Amino acid sequence: MATFIERPRNSCALGGALTTLNALQGVIPIIHASNGCGGNICGTIMAGSGYQGGGYIGALSVPSSNVSEKEILFGGEERLEEQVAATLELVDGQVYVIVTGCMTEIIGDDAKAVARRFQQQGKPVFAAETAGFKGNAYHGYDLLLEALIREGVVGPKGVEKEPHQVNLWGIVPGHDPFWRGDLLEIKRLLGLLGLQVSTFIAPDETADNLRQASKAAGNIIVSQSYGVAAAKVFEEEYGTPFLAVDLPVGPTATADFLRQVGRFLGLETTKVEEVIRREDGQYYWFIERLADFYTDLDMQHYAVVVSNANYSAPIARFLADDLGWLPEVVVVTEPLAEEQKAHIQEALAGLAELKDGQVPKVLFETDPYEIHNAVVAHWPKNNGEKYAHKLSPAFVIGSSFEKDLAAAIGARHLTVSFPILDRVLLDRGYSGYNGALHLVEDLLAVVVGGR
Amino acid sequence: MAFVEYVNEKANPRRDDRLRTCHAYGGTACGLVKDSQGGCLVNKDRSFSQTFGCQMSLSMFMLQTIPDTVSILHGPVGCGGASPGRDYRVREGNRARGLKEQRVIWYNTNLNESDVINGGEDSLEKTILAIEERHHPKAIFIVSTCVPGIIGDDVDALAAQLQERVKAKLIPLHCEGFKTKIVATAYDAVYHGIARHLIDDQEDAPAEAAGAAQGQADGLIPVNVFNFSSMGRIDEVELARLLKGIGLEANFFPNYVHPDAFNHLKKAALNISVCATHDDYFLEYLKEKFGTPYLIGTMPIGSRNTSEWLLAIAGKLGKEEVAQQFITAETKELEAALAPYQERFQGKRVYISGGEIRVPATGMLMQELGFKVIGLRAHHYDEFGDDLYLKVAENDPDMEVNVATTQPFELVNLLNRAKPDLYIGHAGSNVYAAKLGIPGFPLFNTPKSYYGYRGAYEVALQVDRLLRNQAYQRKLKEHTRNPYHESWYQQDPYHYITG
């Protein structure tokens, strides 16, 4: 039996699959579900991810079979076939991917069989089974990628690997609100190492990047949780090795990341070190001019980080190991396998700069009610005593749900995770070197914002 | 079937089974009314369609405004995911009404694969008990979605059984998305739950209530006005001002009304709907059950419709004379204020798309402002549209009408042909006009004003501003595109309508 969730922080499997398809260049999603599924998911992302709209073919323009009682009773494959044929006629794309919802899977429609009938006519139509009840949006990301790999969107078979070509995965569009900024920054950095990088979402890429993805020498997954299952399928199908690492945030983690990539692909160490030296130099060129203000006004804070499996530990690590803050509690907000939890615990136990060796308290909890209570219980209360221990100044770095939590412990608040309602997001991202500069800017903007 | 009998059932009927609904049509205003009256439109559908909303998603817009309640989305984890976006709106609504600011709290039962096989009732029971313990709400709305509808969860039986153990009133609502493409059925589902659980049977005769009120010092007669989420507090204030002007005191239901206060509904002399798409089910029920007369014709948008609305209300309560004087004074003032804008708007062409009733009402407002209305699009159509569609097209019987729940592909085909100066669109559709370089004015944009005489002036002001610089839309057109093949724009816009 499932456990209820107060105010879920992401969508269903169909939601993750759909926001991912919506991000992939040249790929047209076709929903095989009731009329409300796509609209509800577009509302979810609009409301939760810094007001992101549909782009080329998202939001309310996504083709959808809109099955109703008739199809529930008699089966929906015929309707799906009609919808796909019309979509091919009407919508300009390179690859068309059917994603299924709860209703059509419960009644047993075979979307893959429908897709195959179109393939036999030479049409690039594929299908993924992504019913909402199969899991959350992050799981939907993996379900979709696995289908893209197994069903032959990713290809081709039997080609030589290009030693300098890599694919970048692990960030779930829409549900990771900073997906664009983060993927582009990592792509930029890997480009500096001389690599050709496919993110599949960048404006200068097309569906050909997917079609040629098997040529890559390796898959780089900037997540220990998401995209890993798909990378394993990729390895099975194409023998492509993968590297799954934390999303790098800040100069320390990014330098580690670049060195790991270098070792993974056998790149020249001097080249990697040269890139790190230049990027570090630029990062500190900016940070140097912050130092006057930062030190005169003592900007060090205690921190609570509430975010998804991809962001929580990396943000805490940047705060501790680069910015010199004190992460007190780190909350990871999705249900994870034990192995994934262990990765996060390990990362947080290894924070290098905390002098007293005191590691942050780690909580795996999705429910805002429980998160609120746990952090408030952890935080020392000031009952007006003359000499009371306190954790101040403090910052809660989480979602819009944590606004009340921040107020309850007298902390400042910055939104970095879904849902984000108080900012409009465009190219913002917090990973790499440039992302970390943005994070410092955004944190300190909260401090001076009332002036 | 009588409405009191509907309400005796666990679930409300679909609008498809109750009204002559239609969600796919292309033609003219007069053709639409004629074909609808002839029953020719009920089976129309599309061989290509795009996603929209459902009963579940729309019901949340009402439910989440009701203070001291928690909603449960009984379904897989994605259902109800758009709720975060309503939190600030609801708090804004609380503030505007002097209510305590409350966060929107909802739960999802998170049904998974094993629940699909074994049933979701256990999960729902746990959720209800946890909410009772954590939040002690006055009521819990249990919004049943597609999956429990298909796997056969007996939500009503579970709620009845648990009711003995929890203080919160448990209100099951049947909002399975797949059941209807007429999304507005959601309003019936919510009203159905309110009627069954928040209004007791005690009679409170409206005539007496009116009499009692007339004995009050201010002599105002109490009437109910039914609000909705696309209407801000500022619009309620305007409607209350107008009604006060003819001797009535407006009380607003159901949004932002405490669960304990729904019984006060019975005290009114008249129930007034400002949107038939929203209220017909409930007002019929209240009339049958408590004998309260109602008015459901016009939407008070624009000068003419506002005046006609006031006169119709006055007619029901014997206030014609005072209403006529009030209207004369108000419209004279408004006309003078609008004159400079009318001059600037003269001959400009507008296309309008959104809710069945709001679209033609807005069309008439735009005609008053000097615009030529070249096309209308309605999310759905039924008998409540007949009068307004004939009125907006009275000087132009061939006015283009498309019935479509958004369906951006039809929208862009029509706009590309019509090339209007302005597009007025429901949320979720303005972007597609913008990509064609057409400036868009939101069909609703709370908390900005839109209703009544003051709303008419505000709309003129905002539209005038929008037309002064169209660089955003023009540049967007130059650098982006809608996702259809060029051949689509040469094709009949209604090519994919079937039946």
Side-chain angles (χ1 to χ4, degrees):
Chain A
M1 189 184 73
T3 314
F4 63 81
I5 303 179
E6 183 196 334
R7 291 183 278 166
R9 292 163 191 267
N10 67 80
S11 181
C12 59
L14 175 63
L18 192 59
T19 53
T20 305
L21 283 177
N22 180 221
L24 296 176
Q25 293 290 336
V27 179
I28 307 299
I30 301 172
I31 305 170
H32 186 37
S34 312
N35 39 262
C37 296
N40 184 51
I41 289 161
C42 120
T44 303
I45 297 307
M46 178 64 80
S49 213
Y51 306 95
Q52 295 184 34
Y56 178 66
I57 185 158
L60 300 183
S61 64
V62 180
S64 173
S65 62
N66 296 349
V67 292
S68 57
E69 278 187 317
K70 188 178 96 191
E71 287 81 16
I72 304 298
L73 285 173
F74 302 110
E77 285 179 33
E78 206 180 308
R79 169 70 196 111
L80 175 61
E81 211 160 324
E82 177 185 58
Q83 177 70 18
V84 173
T87 305
L88 289 167
E89 208 170 80
L90 191 58
V91 179
D92 191 5
Q94 294 175 281
V95 169
Y96 299 77
V97 180
I98 303 162
V99 277
T100 52
C102 295
M103 293 296 90
T104 55
E105 284 197 39
I106 289 177
I107 62 171
D109 280 0
D110 189 346
K112 284 184 176 162
V114 172
R116 273 194 291 276
R117 291 203 278 278
F118 282 95
Q119 285 168 21
Q120 279 157 11
Q121 303 160 32
K123 308 287 186 196
V125 180
F126 305 86
E129 283 160 1
T130 53
F133 58 74
K134 287 191 163 152
N136 67 17
Y138 297 104
H139 183 55
Y141 173 75
D142 268 307
L143 285 179
L144 175 79
L145 295 188
E146 286 170 35
L148 296 185
I149 297 159
R150 285 196 202 280
E151 297 297 307
V153 177
V154 166
K157 287 270 183 193
V159 289
E160 290 278 305
K161 305 274 186 248
E162 301 279 346
H164 292 290
Q165 190 177 321
V166 293
N167 303 318
L168 182 58
W169 313 93
I171 295 181
V172 183
H175 293 83
D176 273 320
F178 301 93
W179 59 283
R180 293 167 291 183
D182 284 336
L183 282 167
L184 293 183
E185 169 71 355
I186 305 293
K187 178 174 177 162
R188 180 186 76 84
L189 291 167
L190 295 178
L192 295 176
L193 296 179
L195 299 172
Q196 263 190 324
V197 186
S198 284
T199 62
F200 313 102
I201 63 102
D204 61 346
E205 297 180 35
T206 69
D208 291 340
N209 291 70
L210 277 173
R211 290 166 162 162
Q212 303 293 318
S214 68
K215 288 184 183 167
N219 283 310
I220 295 172
I221 324 298
V222 281
S223 169
Q224 307 268 17
S225 303
Y226 308 126
V228 179
K232 287 176 182 164
V233 172
F234 205 120
E235 192 169 33
E236 268 171 41
E237 295 279 325
Y238 294 102
T240 312
F242 69 89
L243 172 71
V245 288
D246 277 345
L247 181 72
V249 176
T252 303
T254 308
D256 282 355
F257 167 73
L258 293 173
R259 289 182 186 117
Q260 277 175 296
V261 171
R263 283 194 295 275
F264 173 63
L265 296 169
L267 305 178
E268 250 180 79
T269 314
T270 46
K271 168 113 189 177
V272 175
E273 292 304 323
E274 172 61 16
V275 170
I276 292 171
R277 198 184 58 77
R278 275 169 41 198
E279 287 291 314
D280 259 350
Q282 177 164 308
Y283 177 85
Y284 281 101
W285 181 73
F286 283 107
I287 289 293
E288 182 183 22
R289 276 178 196 269
L290 172 71
D292 312 58
F293 162 78
Y294 191 93
T295 53
D296 280 348
L297 277 88
D298 176 16
M299 284 292 126
Q300 188 191 48
H301 285 70
Y302 292 96
V304 175
V305 180
V306 183
S307 192
N308 68 8
N310 280 0
Y311 245 49
S312 47
I315 294 268
R317 184 179 178 197
F318 168 71
L319 296 179
D321 286 354
D322 290 317
L323 203 54
W325 285 18
L326 299 159
E328 273 290 318
V329 184
V330 177
V331 187
V332 185
T333 55
E334 312 90 64
L336 294 175
E338 289 310 317
E339 189 193 350
Q340 296 166 337
K341 288 185 186 175
H343 276 304
I344 289 168
Q345 262 154 340
E346 199 185 318
L348 292 170
L351 297 179
E353 300 290 340
L354 297 177
K355 291 296 176 217
D356 47 8
Q358 209 181 339
V359 298
K361 181 187 168 91
V362 186
L363 212 67
F364 295 94
E365 179 60 67
T366 191
D367 194 306
Y369 180 86
E370 299 289 356
I371 293 169
H372 187 102
N373 289 349
V375 174
V376 169
H378 177 90
W379 227 251
K381 272 164 220 45
N382 186 347
N383 298 321
E385 296 110 337
K386 191 170 177 187
Y387 301 109
H389 176 63
K390 60 181 180 178
L391 299 175
S392 178
F395 235 109
V396 173
I397 298 158
S399 75
S400 286
F401 290 160
E402 278 69 56
K403 200 174 175 185
D404 294 342
L405 168 63
I409 62 169
R412 296 184 164 110
H413 177 231
L414 178 72
T415 49
V416 301
S417 48
F418 188 100
I420 294 179
L421 292 152
D422 61 347
R423 7 186 355 201
V424 172
L425 299 177
L426 295 172
D427 70 337
R428 212 92 184 131
Y430 290 145
S431 63
Y433 293 92
N434 289 337
L437 290 172
H438 293 150
L439 182 53
V440 175
E441 262 183 8
D442 292 348
L443 286 166
L444 300 185
V446 176
V447 178
V448 300
R451 294 183 181 180
Chain B
M1 199 193 269
F3 286 76
V4 283
E5 286 171 47
Y6 284 147
V7 171
N8 284 335
E9 302 289 323
K10 287 176 190 169
N12 53 292
R14 306 183 315 154
R15 288 205 177 176
D16 317 51
D17 300 328
R18 192 167 72 71
L19 303 170
R20 53 172 151 90
T21 56
C22 153
H23 67 94
Y25 173 82
T28 64
C30 292
L32 170 67
V33 175
K34 197 167 141 238
D35 288 351
S36 173
Q37 286 172 342
C40 320
L41 304 180
V42 288
N43 290 320
K44 285 202 174 291
D45 210 329
R46 286 180 175 80
S47 57
F48 174 83
S49 54
Q50 291 164 310
T51 187
F52 45 101
C54 67
Q55 290 196 77
M56 177 280 296
S57 55
L58 187 60
S59 69
M60 304 308 287
F61 281 83
M62 277 172 89
L63 297 176
Q64 290 179 332
T65 67
I66 299 183
D68 213 358
T69 66
V70 173
S71 297
I72 299 174
L73 272 299
H74 184 37
V77 67
C79 291
S83 300
R86 279 187 292 277
D87 182 72
Y88 79 93
R89 286 180 187 279
V90 170
R91 283 185 290 123
E92 185 180 86
N94 291 149
R95 278 197 304 274
R97 290 166 180 82
L99 301 169
K100 192 178 140 207
E101 259 189 59
Q102 283 189 326
R103 288 226 171 263
V104 167
I105 304 285
W106 78 99
Y107 280 68
N108 181 294
T109 52
N110 191 22
L111 298 184
N112 60 22
E113 262 177 311
S114 90
D115 298 313
V116 168
I117 296 159
N118 302 315
E121 291 175 21
D122 289 346
S123 179
L124 178 58
E125 177 172 335
K126 281 201 170 158
T127 314
I128 292 170
L129 296 176
I131 292 172
E132 171 83 355
E133 192 195 319
R134 288 176 174 188
H135 305 283
H136 321 292
K138 259 290 185 238
I140 298 173
F141 294 108
I142 304 163
V143 180
S144 200
T145 66
C146 291
V147 167
I150 285 252
I151 64 176
D153 280 0
D154 193 341
V155 173
D156 296 271
L158 178 70
Q161 180 205 325
L162 280 180
Q163 188 63 79
E164 293 163 21
R165 291 164 59 192
V166 296
K167 281 190 183 154
K169 236 172 217 166
L170 301 180
I171 307 179
L173 305 170
H174 295 268
C175 294
E176 300 89 346
F178 70 87
K179 276 207 171 157
T180 177
K181 290 180 186 173
I182 308 300
V183 180
T185 302
Y187 299 131
D188 301 354
V190 175
Y191 278 135
H192 187 83
I194 289 172
R196 281 168 66 81
H197 297 278
L198 295 181
I199 301 176
D200 61 35
D201 273 353
Q202 256 178 327
E203 302 259 339
D204 195 340
E208 278 173 40
Q214 274 167 338
Q216 286 170 6
D218 58 7
L220 296 176
I221 301 174
V223 294
N224 296 328
V225 180
F226 292 80
N227 57 8
F228 34 82
S229 60
S230 55
M231 176 180 175
R233 176 61 190 162
I234 194 165
D235 289 322
E236 293 179 8
V237 169
E238 169 68 354
L239 296 184
R241 179 184 78 86
L242 300 179
L243 293 170
K244 197 172 180 187
I246 64 168
L248 311 180
E249 184 194 10
N251 295 303
F252 291 90
F253 291 93
N255 286 0
Y256 297 98
V257 172
H258 191 273
D260 286 344
F262 278 92
N263 272 315
H264 300 323
L265 262 172
K266 293 179 280 185
K267 289 181 185 152
L270 183 67
N271 284 327
I272 302 168
S273 168
V274 291
C275 178
T277 291
H278 200 261
D279 306 315
D280 86 291
Y281 185 79
F282 195 44
L283 297 200
E284 275 288 353
Y285 167 76
L286 292 173
K287 185 181 172 195
E288 285 178 17
K289 183 85 180 171
F290 304 108
T292 320
Y294 69 82
L295 184 102
I296 202 163
T298 305
M299 187 179 254
I301 284 176
S303 180
R304 174 174 164 191
N305 277 317
T306 300
S307 300
E308 288 182 4
W309 180 75
L310 274 174
L311 277 176
I313 294 164
K316 296 246 180 201
L317 298 169
K319 297 273 187 187
E320 292 94 330
E321 205 173 317
V322 57
Q324 198 55 66
Q325 282 168 10
F326 180 72
I327 288 166
T328 306
E330 284 282 328
T331 49
K332 196 175 157 204
E333 210 182 343
L334 175 64
E335 270 165 34
L338 289 180
Y341 298 96
Q342 283 160 332
E343 214 169 291
R344 289 209 282 282
F345 295 150
Q346 206 57 48
K348 290 208 184 297
R349 302 157 75 248
V350 61
Y351 217 106
I352 309 171
S353 178
E356 177 197 14
I357 304 295
R358 189 153 181 159
V359 160
T362 297
M364 291 172 68
L365 163 60
M366 298 313 286
Q367 286 168 339
E368 288 165 8
L369 296 182
F371 278 85
K372 179 171 170 60
V373 176
I374 51 173
L376 303 175
R377 301 180 82 236
H379 277 177
H380 74 276
Y381 192 80
D382 57 29
E383 47 267 58
F384 294 105
D386 293 355
D387 283 349
L388 274 169
Y389 282 79
L390 292 177
K391 259 159 75 179
V392 68
E394 65 193 3
N395 296 318
D396 182 11
D398 293 331
M399 185 183 289
E400 187 167 82
V401 179
N402 173 209
V403 181
T405 317
T406 310
Q407 303 305 310
F409 77 106
E410 283 177 12
L411 172 67
V412 297
N413 184 313
L414 291 165
L415 291 181
N416 189 58
R417 280 158 202 273
K419 301 200 166 29
D421 300 296
L422 179 72
Y423 171 72
I424 301 182
H426 192 282
S429 73
N430 292 296
V431 58
Y432 306 112
K435 281 183 163 184
L436 296 173
I438 303 163
F441 176 64
L443 186 63
F444 49 87
N445 190 14
T446 62
K448 287 200 181 86
S449 162
Y450 205 107
Y451 280 77
Y453 300 120
R454 282 188 168 166
Y457 180 75
E458 184 70 20
V459 169
L461 206 66
Q462 302 295 342
V463 166
D464 186 50
R465 169 179 57 74
L466 274 165
L467 294 176
R468 286 178 62 190
N469 188 338
Q470 304 173 19
Y472 186 86
Q473 287 80 3
R474 212 187 57 250
K475 301 270 163 79
L476 197 65
K477 181 188 180 184
E478 283 168 16
H479 294 96
T480 66
R481 56 175 290 225
N482 283 304
Y484 315 102
H485 289 294
E486 280 309 308
S487 56
W488 169 237
Y489 297 98
Q490 315 310 318
Q491 181 76 264
D492 172 11
Y494 311 124
H495 177 75
Y496 292 98
I497 292 179
T498 59

